Each structure stands twice: as structure tokens, then as C-alpha cells.
Amino acid sequence: MLEVRNLSVGIATPSGPLALVEEVDFRLEAGRTLGIVGESGSGKSMLALALMGLLPPAARASGSIRLEGDELIGLPEAALCRIRGKRIGMIFQEPMTALNPAMTVGEQIAEGVQWHENLGRRAARARALDLLQRVGIPEAARRLDDYPHQMSGGQRQRVGIAIALACRPRLLIADEPTTALDVTVQAQILDLLRELVAEMGMGLILISHDLGVIAETADDTLVMYAGMPVETGSSAAIFARPAHPYTRGLFLAMPGHAGVPAGAGQRLQTIPGSVPEPGRRPSGCRFADRCAYVIEACRAAVPPWEPLPGGQQARCIRLEELP
Amino acid sequence: MSGPAAMPSGTGAPLLVAEGLARHHPLARPHPFAERPVFKAVDGVDLTLERGEIFGVVGESGCGKSTLARLLMALEPATAGRVLFEGEDLLSLSPAALRRRRRGFQMVFQDPYGSLDPRLSVARIVAEPLRLLADGAEGRSRRDRVSESLQAVGLQASDARKYPHEFSGGQRQRIAIARALITRPSLIVADEPVSALDVSVQAQVLNLLLDLQESHGLTHLLISHNLAVVEQVCQRLAVMYLGRFVETGPTAELFKAPAHPYTRLLLEAVPSPDPARRRSRRPIADPAPAPAGGCPFQPRCPLAVARCRSEAPELRTIAPGRQVACHQV
Amino acid sequence: MTALRTVVRHPTLNLGGLVTLLLLGTAVVSQVWTPASPTQIQITQRLAPPLQAGLLGADHFGRDLTSLLMVGAWNSLSIAFVAVLLGMAGGVLLGTLAAAWRGWAEEVVMRLADVTFAFPAVLSAIMIAALIGPGATTAVIAIGVFNIPVFARVSRAAALQVWERDFVLAARSAGKGPVLITLHHVLPNIAGLLVVQATIQLALAILAEAGLSFLGVGMPPPHPSWGRMLSDAQTYLSQAPHLAILPGLAIALAVLGLNMLGDGLRDIIDPKLRRKR
């Protein structure tokens, strides 16, 4: 349904072009969830903006993004506008700033429907009510005329999801949808997203820095590091047998992960250093400077994808020699 | 950890004791003749910190955990209660006497970007609490102490000349910890010290806290919303909900057998980084404001009965070192 | 390095800075050299148009207009500068004080600011002039007092934001009181904003000084002043329009230049502040 090939995002700077995201490839089938995980500086947010066609003016995307066979890269803004909202729904991190404080939630949900489907006010309002019920807002009929500030953070994110769903999009992109929420509310929102994907058969791209969120929600996982995907495969495989040294390091640094020695006072494993900024990334393997297994050949060129059993792949030339 | 560290035995007097600590904020009256409503950010907290332990306070946003930290640090006036630091009530001290005591307890904040003044050099930032020392530490000894403090958190002495913007988030948090260490305090209160950091950097900072506990014999109060983090580093734990502790106890036991329904709800809600353990959850009730009377958790509680609506449960001991505030346990 | 690049590339800032520098240069030069004495009356050259007597002509007393404008720049600028400095000192003191001691002190300061703000500056200037007579001091006090509430508000709002930051909390647990926190943390962090505001207030102050001189409560004759030059020129508007146009142009140029400089500075300082937040 969605096919991304060799997607790169660059930005023009006074000292020449700077690559932010490089060589991203993935496929997403209807009814499945792809989790994109990465730390800050991994380029995952820029990737999300590229998929939505919402890159900042100075940034440029190259490569190919095909949604149900239609190429999105190079499409004029007007055409993208017709696709955004209609065929691609978007859920943002901060439900308060993503909603217009001066419009009722009902109007905001109905707005997209009226615009994209030429539905009348009454029909659009009926659809809005329907959606509000669907995303689990109690007493939806009464809350339709509420303003965003009258709702709690979790409810606002539910409204955000209703807006994204308004035109029954085929693809849903959620960029850190639960980062601003408490754990109990986060659990509710993740449950809701899972139900919706199963029920409506959409494809969902879930972007998060939280490995737990990805593990709970995504069928497949793409691990980003310093602007480049380093590992991809089914979530079950990646979380059970992380292959790339970065993925392994990330998992072992996370309290609560299966491989981490539990119990108060146990030291965590760490990855030395920090994620390099764009422009300071090493030229070969982006992880070379922080990797415990680095050899000369790692720095020579960007490692190709190495296949692993079960469709898992990792960009590391030393997979077979790793302990 | 096991044995004595997990269960603080009564070796020596506790470092800090809080009794009936409360912080109420008056709100605007709904109409001119109404009684002024009160928001109870912290509502009667008792807390004992033993020397050398890492004590965790977990709770969701708005539960009052940050206010509690500021009350313990005497940075905010309390509506009621006492904070005894090494036996001395901080809240009744004169400003000058309080200033002298402050060398014993320092704080680390959540946002490594907001907690360092961007206009000051690292040397000046780290040296700031030195004014709390009687000898003032001037000139050479001042420089030595700054270097010593920076090295204790894994930075270079030469970093003192730099400015905060030259450092990454994790390094900034190290600078903040170096500042807290410079007076050689016995207590550090860390309010969400890793929640703004990436996973790999978070691990570095957590390890640093553990190292400091061991090497400097520091006592930590760690405030966090992240249960996994608390489980990893804290010997004892308190779960906070709407201004009160609802459950306290040794971390391992509390995670193994949570007693309070809210603790169970929290533990269930944490996403597991293991897809094999993905489980279907019970539906969770939305957060609700505290009702006028009764148990504050009662509107969301699956176990609530009539008594919970009329009578607020007090913390009571259910096992050695474990306390729960629930009628149903 | 990048900061320097931003400055170089900012057209508004450059133009504004250039005009302001030119103005400042003229004012300073006027103190050591003018083409002719600005007080020397040459009745033969009365109302001479530009280039017929000196570069820009002469006024109704036959004084050299170029010299008058140059010395006028000094007088206008120095009055505006001292007035804004006065307003800034008072306003920042009150504003940061109000932010440091919330509660009734803040209320009193801000309500006082409101009252001053509501009182027309021209009216207060005329009142002060009635008390102590017209002159530079009158102009400085009238304009300065009017600037106090402006700076009080700006610095209070900015200071309150700084007080919300965690590093202030850290400073408090390091034993610093409100005065030290204001000196060490608040002032350095709001300084950029204050410079921007001061530049804009300077433009307004030049305008206000011209207005006061025009009304006759500013610098008394024979000290040249742009405002009084305009006022004097009214009578000869049809005979010698340059007498009105040139000082008017000087005022407009000065105000425009300072405003552009202020806007440019704000553009440069603001994104930096945003990034740090």
C-alpha cells in the first residue's frame, strides 16, 4: 500500500547541502503497523514530515514515496493538499497545540470532511459525532460543542485521532502520539490505535523514541540512527534478537528490557558518546564512532543491508562475527 | 540488591523525616460569596529517608511529586507539616540559618536546558552553591573544587571554561549534578533527572547516580514518572496519587505484589519492551479530579465500595516496611 | 561566527545601523566642527535656499542650516539618550523588583505604571515646564518619566519568564536571595530584550523631544533643536519650504533608522532566546 524507496531528505545550508535523512526503504501493507524508533537526532521526525509532504521550505526530499501506486515526491502543493487529510491522516505529539483553541472539537472534526468530501454541514456533523464516539469520548453528543481547553490531555488526543480518521484515510501517520501523555492515558491511546487499525484496515506508521510503545503496537519495526535506518524486520524478531550493535546497545540501556539485569542498584549498559549531529556523522557506518565492534572496513562505506532469518535485516558488515 | 540495603534497618538516625507535609493553593472563588476552594498539591505526606538509600517517588503528572521535592528542599513554603533534616526542622529556620543548612541538600532538575543559566560559564554555574560554605571557597580552592566536582561526574576540568550550549543534554545533566555535588551534600533530590534524555544517555546518568551513592555515600530522593527507571535504581519507593502517598515499600516487593489498585493500574499501563509479553489490558478509567470526600482514587477504582466514597483511607502497615492506603487491601 | 553572519546578512539591521551610525557621527562631529557657527546671524543670507548659502541654505536669521541641523542632532540625541537611560534605569529597577517580590509590591508598581502611562506626556511636560521652566532638564524629565512604565512592563514580563526557569530554583537552593538572583541571572538574560526596547524608545524619544521643542518647552534658544526649527519654519513655509522639509526629514530619518535597528536587533535576539528556552 505504501512503498518508500531510497528516500532522502536534505537541507540547504550556507556551507552546502546537509543530509538529514538518508536511504530509507520500507513497505507498509494495509492493516499493519510499522514502528519507526530512534533517539533524538535520528531523523525520525524529519522522515515523518517527508512522508506527509510537510517538510520545511529549505528541506528537499528525493527518492520515491508511493501511496497505493501514486508517487508523492515532486507532487505540487495543491495535489498534496488533496491527499493529506483525505488519504493520509496525521496524529501529532502535542494534542493541545495541534487543535485550534477557537473552534469546537465538532467543527474541527467536520472541517476536513466538508472540505475533502463536499459533505453538507449536517452530514459532516453526524460523521463527527460518529467519530467522537468511535474514539471513546463519553457523552459524545454533548462534547461535540466543547472547546479543546475543556477536555483533558487524553481526550484531546482522542479528538486528534478523530480528526485524522475523519475522511477514512488509508494511511495514518502518528508522530510521538503519546509522548505528552501519562502512562495510564498512553495505554488507552495505544489500545485505541491498535483497535482502529484492526477494524478499519488502515496502515499505521507509529514514530516514537519509546521502545515499549513500539514493542506494544508495531508489527514491524524500523530502527533509525543518525538519519539512516540500521535495522528492520518484524517487531517480534527485532525485540527478541536485535542484530545491529546499536539496536542491541539501545535495548540493553533501557530499564525494564528483558536482557537488562533487574533489581535496584544494578548498573545499566551504556552506549558511549551521543548521537552525532547532521554534518558531523561519520562517512561509513554512522554508528562507527560509538560501536564496540568497529573495524577499519566499517568506516570505508555505508554498510549494505545484510539479510537475517525471518526477513530481518541489519546494516552491519560484522553481523556474523558479533558475539 | 538484597538484605540490609533493600530494607533500611535502624542504623543511625534517618537523614530526613517529613511529617504531615502539605501544600495547599487557594483557587479563585466561583462566585463572590462562595468559600474559597483549595487545590491540595501535597496533602499530608510522611516520609523517612535513611542514610545512603535511593528512595523513589513515582506518580503521574499533577500528582504533586515536584511540589513535594520543593517542599523537602525548603524552596516553597508548606501549608502544614515539618521537614526534619538531620533532626532540624527546616521550615522553622530563619532565612540565614536555612541558607547555612542548604549545603547539606541539593537538587537536580528535569530539564537540562532550563536548569543551567545560558549566560554563565560552567565554572560559575557549578561554583554557585559554594556561597553556602562558611569559608566561601575563593580563588584557587574554588577552582579545585569545581574541577573535582566536574571530574566526579565524568567531565573534564577544562570543561569549566565552556558554556552550556556547547554540551549535549546528557552532559548538561552531568553539569547540573556537578553543581549539586560541590558542597558535598548528604542528600540529593533529583526531580525527573532523566526524563528529558534519550534512552542511551539516560542509562549513563542513572549509572552516575548509582556510582555517586556508592562512592560518596549519598542519599538520593528520585522523583520520576517512569516505573522502569525507579525499579532499576531505587531501594524503596512511594507511589503518589493526587497529593498523597497511596503505597510505599521496598521496590522489589512493591513491583512483585502491588497492593494498591492504583499501583496495579500503573504497572499494567507501562508498555513492555517485549512484544512476546504484549497483553490485553483491562480498560482503564480516565484520570479524574479528587472527590470532595473519601478516597482520592475512588472515581477510577475498580474496587470502590460505599466506604471508599465516605472515608479517606489512611496509610497503614500491611507488612514490615510496606504501607498501603486502601480500605480493600 | 554564525551570529556575525546573521548580522551581516540582515538588510533591515544593516540599513538601520548605518543610518543610526551616520546620525551619531553627525552629532559627535558637530561638537568639534560645523561648517559655520550655528549661532552666527548673517542677515544678508536670510532664507537663502540650499547651495546659495552653505550646503543647505540658511534660516530666517541667516544662520547656516547645515550647522543648525548638525548641532540639532546632538541636542536631540543627547536629550533622547539621557531620557531613555533615565526611564530604563527606573523602569528596569521597578520591573525586576516587581518580578522578584510578587504580591502587593508588584501590584503597587504596576498600578503606578498604569497611572503614569495614562497621563499624556505632553501634558506632564508642560506641567514640569511650568514648575521649573522650559529647558533640556524639563524635556529629559518629561520624556524619561514617560519611559519608566514602558521599561517597567517589559522588564517585569521578561523577568517573570526568567524567574520561572529551573536555574533560578537552582540558584535559590544555592542560597541566593532575590537581589543576587536578579543581578546574576535575571538581568543578563533580559539584557538583549532591553537593548531592543531601548532602541525603539530612543526613536520615540527623539520624536517626543521634537514635539516638546515645537511647543516651546524643550531646549531654549539659541540652542538649535529640530523641533523648534520646524516650529520656526511654519511662518516661512511658502517662502522657504526647505526650512521645514530638512529638519522634518532629519527627524523622520533618525526615527526610521532607529526603528529599523531595533527591529533588526529583535529579529536576531528573539530566535536565540527561543532556542535556549
Side-chain angles (χ1 to χ4, degrees), chain B residues 70 75-76 99 102 106-107 109-111 113-120 124 128-129 131-132 179, chain C residues 165-177 180 184-186 188-190 192 273 276-277:
Chain B
R70 291 178 192 194
L75 288 171
E76 220 175 279
R99 197 165 300 169
R102 279 192 188 282
Q106 287 290 312
M107 192 163 175
F109 301 89
Q110 169 177 1
D111 175 14
Y113 292 85
S115 69
L116 307 180
D117 189 336
R119 313 259 163 194
L120 299 189
R124 282 193 63 189
E128 196 169 39
R131 65 177 46 255
L132 297 172
R179 168 175 59 191
Chain C
R165 311 274 298 268
D166 276 349
F167 61 71
V168 170
L169 216 53
R172 283 177 57 205
S173 54
K176 281 184 180 168
L180 279 186
H184 292 175
H185 298 287
V186 174
N189 277 293
I190 67 173
L273 289 179
K276 275 172 189 149
R277 214 165 274 144

Side-chain angles (χ1 to χ4, degrees), chain C residues 17-61:
Chain C
L18 198 73
V19 171
T20 308
L21 218 65
L22 214 70
L23 195 72
L24 272 175
T26 313
V28 171
V29 168
S30 79
Q31 293 307 290
V32 288
W33 175 83
T34 46
S37 164
T39 45
Q40 192 188 10
I41 295 173
Q42 280 197 296
I43 215 70
T44 47
Q45 310 217 331
R46 191 168 179 271
L47 301 181
L51 297 174
Q52 292 207 354
L55 185 65
L56 299 175
D59 75 348
H60 56 290
F61 288 129

Side-chain angles (χ1 to χ4, degrees), chain A residues 85-96:
Chain A
K86 173 93 183 93
R87 291 169 68 190
I88 307 180
M90 291 165 283
I91 302 167
F92 298 95
Q93 171 173 347
E94 190 44 73
M96 193 62 213

